Amino acid sequence: MGNAAIELRGITKCFGNIVANKDVNLTVNNGEILSLLGENGSGKTTLMNMISGIYYPDEGHIFIDGQEVVIRSPKDAFDYHIGMIHQHFKLVDVFTAAQNIVLGLDEPGKFDMKKVSARVAEISQKYGFDIDPNKKIFDMSVSEKQTVEIIKVLYRGAKILILDEPTAVLAPQETQKLFTILRRMRNDGKAIIIITHKLHEVLSLSDRVAVLRRGEYIGTVDTVDTNEDELTEMMVGKKISLNIERSDPVNPQERLSVKHLGCVSKEGVKLLDDVSFTAYSGEILGIAGIAGSGQRELLEAIAGLQHVSSGEIVYHNPKTDKEENLRDKTPLQIRELGVRLSFVPEDRLGMGLVGNMDIVDNMMLRSYRRGKSVFLERKAPKDLAERIIEELQVVTPSANTPVRRLSGGNVQKVLVGREIAASPTVLMAAYPVRGLDINSSYAIYNLLNQQKKNGVAVIFVGEDLDVLMELCDRILVIGSGRVTGIVNGREANKNEIGLMMTQSAGGKTHE
């Protein structure tokens, strides 16, 4: 090895008084895949944004092929053959793949689309991409869009590629395909950096792993010499047991029966198509699917927040032993029955919490509607707030700190904790650990397990298949608004679930 494509020495970056990166040293060689591992907020993306010209370091030096360089803009980065593929794609929807690939290039003959398509085909052939240069972006699946972004930087001659969380949007099969392509690029001599926090991917793909913790560089290890426990310890700074205990459901009773549920958008697009399943008390039912397959609409339909065009949602009320059709009820009536929805990432401070209010007041939001006197009793919510802060290790000066001053992860714990505090009979949690560090994620998995033991029917929408397979009793797979399968969590197989995730009605996958 020893031929460094890019080397960072002493890189420091501050935003106001927040230190995002502190004295980071890092080397990536030609012909290697380096995983940049760290929890959310550890400074991975900031560091890569300095290499790709989006930010400029306050201190430190960057060397490319042994020469010191100054990167002040994305254009400078391109001139040094650096290309970054961001998490959120920057593509023009109405253009074709080929048009997007040459967008913003000032080179002779760039509008000769035949030539462009031929060059795109050549790159695709070389690395094994599967792309139609004349397909419009709005007709593409997420993985096709990602392919366009990668070819775009290769077309511009990138030799150093940075990918930010590239697998977050992919099904397992698509991830495998991407990894095969990245290995081909590495074998072609390119230097590839992958920003990630998924340990199993790091181990299966990379040659070396560099770890950041709270903006500081902890070290780089050879992938063959390490394992999940060691990497976790480097990321977190202490040993953590990475296992979720899964108890067997005790005396499961039907809690929620969804029958032939359909939802249509204002534009007449089918969001949910003939969805049927049953959720039982004392079990965790997982919902898996590629982002945007109808998970959100399904939970919102149950919670009364999404208009239902057909089918029924029957709730078996344990208090009265009656069956109630939730389709006739308002969101508030549904909540009162004990069916709770905690939808985390979309609404950290939107629908869920009031940013200027403190944690105690946010706990009280849930009990205002009971028609108590104007002088609300603050003791119960305060006890509740303090219990959640303690149980979930919410990092806050006190229960009276305004919620907007907490970090996203801590806000999330308050959201999930508050729904649980209402002692629901059905708890729907969507992406409750997105963006959380490992410790907090496992705290939330344990909370969900606790609810399950209390006889709650837990419905969990998650993005990490490994976690779904470890946590859930059953997993419902959804593809393009249809149920494509229901599997037993204890016997599930990742590839089998992956295939179901990409199946859809009529074979065309919509995002």
Side-chain angles (χ1 to χ4, degrees):
M1 298 296 279
N3 52 347
I6 186 162
E7 186 186 348
L8 309 182
R9 289 187 202 160
I11 296 285
T12 296
K13 178 74 182 169
C14 301
F15 296 99
N17 53 5
I18 294 167
V19 181
N21 290 128
K22 182 177 168 192
D23 193 26
V24 175
N25 299 299
L26 188 69
T27 304
V28 188
N29 296 309
N30 291 310
E32 86 164 342
I33 296 176
L34 178 88
S35 287
L36 185 58
L37 183 66
E39 300 197 318
N40 290 51
S42 62
K44 308 182 297 278
T45 304
T46 303
L47 188 64
M48 292 302 111
N49 280 337
M50 285 187 275
I51 300 177
S52 60
I54 293 170
Y55 298 145
Y56 189 70
D58 300 336
E59 290 169 29
H61 306 273
I62 299 178
F63 298 82
I64 290 177
D65 293 330
Q67 303 293 313
E68 184 163 358
V69 299
V70 173
I71 301 174
R72 290 189 184 277
S73 68
K75 188 183 174 314
D76 287 351
F78 270 142
D79 293 343
Y80 292 119
H81 304 297
I82 296 168
M84 182 157 171
I85 291 93
H86 296 270
Q87 246 177 320
H88 304 290
F89 308 140
K90 301 171 167 58
L91 298 168
V92 181
D93 255 9
V94 294
F95 283 8
T96 63
Q99 286 167 329
N100 269 284
I101 286 164
V102 292
L103 199 63
L105 267 185
D106 42 359
E107 57 173 42
K110 67 167 174 176
F111 294 117
D112 181 346
M113 279 306 170
K114 268 210 172 86
K115 269 190 184 149
V116 173
S117 292
R119 173 101 179 87
V120 169
E122 185 190 329
I123 294 173
S124 303
Q125 187 76 44
K126 182 169 182 182
Y127 298 115
F129 290 108
D130 186 8
I131 193 82
D132 169 2
N134 303 314
K135 192 170 182 180
K136 295 259 205 296
I137 300 297
F138 61 73
D139 276 334
M140 292 191 174
S141 69
V142 184
S143 69
E144 289 175 295
K145 290 179 190 173
Q146 186 183 59
T147 301
V148 175
E149 286 280 20
I150 298 174
I151 293 177
K152 193 167 151 183
V153 301
L154 291 172
Y155 190 95
R156 287 161 163 68
K159 293 177 184 154
I160 298 166
L161 283 90
I162 304 165
L163 294 96
D164 190 357
E165 299 276 1
T167 64
V169 291
L170 304 180
Q173 279 79 354
E174 296 167 335
T175 296
Q176 286 314 323
K177 214 161 116 182
L178 173 68
F179 285 3
T180 305
I181 287 168
L182 293 175
R183 291 186 185 104
R184 283 185 191 140
M185 290 185 190
R186 170 192 65 191
N187 298 342
D188 188 39
K190 300 206 184 295
I192 298 169
I193 305 173
I194 290 214
I195 304 178
T196 179
H197 61 267
K198 293 187 182 170
L199 292 165
H200 48 272
E201 291 185 355
V202 168
L203 293 167
S204 75
L205 178 68
S206 55
D207 299 299
R208 291 189 307 143
V209 192
V211 181
L212 292 182
R213 175 165 71 227
R214 294 196 194 92
E216 295 193 32
Y217 170 72
I218 303 300
T220 301
V221 292
D222 289 340
T223 311
V224 289
D225 300 333
T226 189
N227 58 40
E228 289 201 13
D229 291 343
E230 184 184 332
L231 290 174
T232 304
E233 202 174 326
M234 285 175 76
M235 262 166 82
V236 181
K238 55 178 182 279
K239 274 194 164 38
I240 291 185
S241 77
L242 294 179
N243 45 27
I244 303 171
E245 55 147 346
R246 172 167 44 198
S247 55
D248 286 325
V250 177
N251 184 20
Q253 307 283 328
E254 286 193 17
R255 243 334 129 251
L256 197 65
S257 311
V258 172
K259 298 171 186 166
H260 309 296
L261 189 66
C263 290
V264 180
S265 73
K266 292 188 188 77
E267 295 77 38
V269 176
K270 277 189 180 171
L271 301 171
L272 293 174
D273 185 3
D274 195 24
V275 170
S276 300
F277 67 91
T278 303
Y280 295 89
S281 64
E283 79 157 0
I284 298 183
L285 173 68
I287 297 185
I290 298 172
S293 303
Q295 300 93 316
R296 177 188 187 130
E297 289 79 5
L298 176 56
L299 299 196
E300 289 185 344
I302 296 170
L305 301 168
Q306 168 75 252
H307 176 69
V308 173
S309 51
S310 59
E312 53 180 358
I313 304 165
V314 178
Y315 171 64
H316 306 270
N317 192 333
K319 296 192 180 76
T320 59
D321 230 15
K322 284 203 183 87
E323 292 194 351
E324 322 214 18
N325 188 359
L326 298 188
R327 257 191 87 173
D328 322 332
K329 304 213 173 348
T330 65
L332 195 58
Q333 290 169 323
I334 293 173
R335 295 185 60 85
E336 299 280 311
L337 285 170
V339 178
R340 297 290 177 137
L341 168 60
S342 169
F343 210 113
V344 172
E346 320 290 335
D347 69 330
R348 273 194 185 148
L349 291 173
M351 139 190 142
L353 298 170
V354 180
N356 291 333
M357 289 176 139
D358 66 21
I359 298 179
V360 177
D361 285 336
N362 269 294
M363 293 296 156
M364 291 167 69
L365 278 181
R366 287 308 193 218
S367 46
Y368 278 162
R369 306 209 178 98
R370 301 262 149 67
K372 303 248 176 26
S373 73
V374 183
F375 299 102
L376 282 157
E377 203 250 309
R378 281 184 69 98
K379 175 147 175 38
K382 187 158 171 56
D383 292 348
L384 168 64
E386 291 186 333
R387 206 177 80 227
I388 288 182
I389 290 169
E390 184 184 18
E391 280 182 21
L392 282 182
Q393 303 164 326
V394 174
V395 182
T396 171
S398 82
N400 301 94
T401 304
V403 164
R404 70 182 148 73
R405 299 229 309 264
L406 303 181
S407 75
N410 288 307
V411 169
Q412 214 149 312
K413 295 182 202 173
V414 174
L415 262 177
V416 178
R418 181 184 62 186
E419 297 308 333
I420 287 176
S423 50
T425 51
V426 176
L427 174 66
M428 299 186 283
Y431 310 112
V433 301
R434 183 184 280 174
L436 291 187
D437 59 64
I438 296 181
N439 264 334
S440 311
S441 301
Y442 279 80
I444 284 185
Y445 301 146
N446 290 333
L447 267 180
L448 294 177
N449 266 322
Q450 206 43 60
Q451 291 303 298
K452 163 182 160 175
K453 286 181 183 157
N454 297 349
V456 177
V458 180
I459 300 177
F460 170 80
V461 179
E463 0 188 36
D464 189 331
L465 263 187
D466 293 83
V467 168
L468 279 164
M469 287 163 51
E470 217 181 314
L471 176 71
C472 303
D473 298 293
R474 290 183 304 140
I475 300 171
L476 172 102
V477 188
I478 191 166
S480 307
R482 294 181 75 101
V483 175
T484 52
I486 297 184
V487 296
N488 179 329
R490 290 169 178 73
E491 296 154 12
N493 154 324
K494 202 167 170 180
N495 278 337
E496 171 194 12
I497 295 178
L499 284 172
M500 292 177 191
M501 282 164 77
T502 46
Q503 269 173 20
S504 66
K508 178 167 177 11
T509 45
H510 280 287
E511 213 192 318

